[in-house]
Amino acid sequence: VQLVESGGGLVQPGGSLRLSCVGSEFTFETYDMSWLRQAPGKDIERVASIQTDSTTTYYAPSVKGRFTISRDNAKNTLYLQMNSLKPEDTANYICAIGWRVHDTRGQGTQVTVSS
């Protein structure tokens, strides 16, 4: 199983970023998927999750209304559109298989929100 994230970077407060995660060596379309994040010195946090057919999503209260999770099963790709970014969104963003339990994770992509 491989999960490879991309799209992170440095962005000013109020800006936007779109993260991508390409999955391989497993049947992507049959798994719920999630984005997690971990800031330095803090516990890992579940940011958003999406079911296999995209009909049901979950968002952490801290990102609801600003972030959008989506997926393209034909491309084995998970996305996270992040708008109105805040300094407190700074973290390593990690793609994971699963809805609540996330045993399989990628390495992550760093997002830094700073002026």
Side-chain angles (χ1 to χ4, degrees):
V1 174
Q2 285 198 342
L3 297 167
V4 180
E5 302 92 337
S6 63
L10 174 64
V11 62
Q12 292 187 343
S16 297
L17 281 176
R18 189 195 196 201
L19 307 184
S20 299
C21 168
V22 178
S24 61
E25 301 180 26
F26 69 103
T27 310
F28 182 87
E29 63 188 11
T30 66
Y31 288 89
D32 298 338
M33 298 292 295
S34 296
W35 285 100
L36 315 175
R37 69 184 180 186
Q38 188 165 29
K42 294 189 177 181
D43 290 336
I44 200 160
E45 176 188 11
R46 180 190 181 200
V47 175
S49 301
I50 187 167
Q51 290 191 336
T52 56
D53 59 0
S54 302
T55 55
T56 301
T57 56
Y58 162 84
Y59 295 96
S62 58
V63 307
K64 198 167 187 178
R66 300 187 297 121
F67 291 10
T68 303
I69 189 171
S70 62
R71 64 191 296 164
D72 185 338
N73 287 338
K75 295 182 179 179
N76 288 357
T77 303
L78 178 72
Y79 302 101
L80 185 68
Q81 178 67 44
M82 305 187 296
N83 298 329
S84 302
L85 282 161
K86 305 175 181 180
E88 51 264 43
D89 294 319
T90 295
N92 187 38
Y93 283 73
I94 302 160
C95 172
I97 296 175
W99 183 258
R100 286 184 178 273
V101 178
H102 309 107
D103 291 336
T104 303
R105 307 172 182 180
Q107 292 298 308
T109 184
Q110 178 67 34
V111 171
T112 302
V113 184
S114 175
S115 55

